[in-house]
Amino acid sequence: MADVQPGKFHPQAALKGYALNRMCFTLNAAENRAAFTADPDGYCARFGLNEEELAAVRSREKKLLFAAGGNMYFLAKLDRVPKPEGAR
């Protein structure tokens, strides 16, 4: 998406990361955080995350999450969920 210009609406850029941000938003609710903690991949599958988004969620690396289209306000919800034991 080389044609994305700061401050200009770009439909493809707006859609990138929609599923990731939607999933993260649901983590506001305690029961959703518990469901995510119990089965992160299964929880992400409900929202149709692609491989790039899923890898970013697994790693929790901000650079990857932003590259996958994550929005900092939605990604903050993911920070509220503890990383699984043994995860990097």
Side-chain angles (χ1 to χ4, degrees):
M1 285 188 275
D3 59 336
V4 176
Q5 299 174 359
K8 302 278 184 171
F9 180 75
H10 190 281
Q12 287 81 19
L15 290 175
K16 183 174 179 162
Y18 175 78
L20 172 62
N21 292 316
R22 186 169 156 236
M23 184 279 297
C24 287
F25 180 76
T26 67
L27 298 175
N28 279 320
E31 62 271 12
N32 292 337
R33 290 192 300 275
F36 177 87
T37 300
D39 182 14
D41 287 356
Y43 192 83
C44 290
R46 292 194 224 167
F47 298 91
L49 269 64
N50 63 36
E51 282 304 314
E52 177 189 15
E53 295 163 334
L54 190 54
V57 168
R58 286 180 185 138
S59 73
R60 307 276 180 99
E61 291 183 34
K62 294 294 189 253
K63 184 176 180 181
L64 294 176
L65 289 161
F66 288 135
N71 176 291
M72 63 188 249
Y73 297 104
F74 294 114
L75 295 177
K77 311 319 183 204
L78 184 59
D79 290 337
R80 297 177 68 191
V81 182
K83 287 176 91 172
E85 287 292 322
R88 292 195 234 172

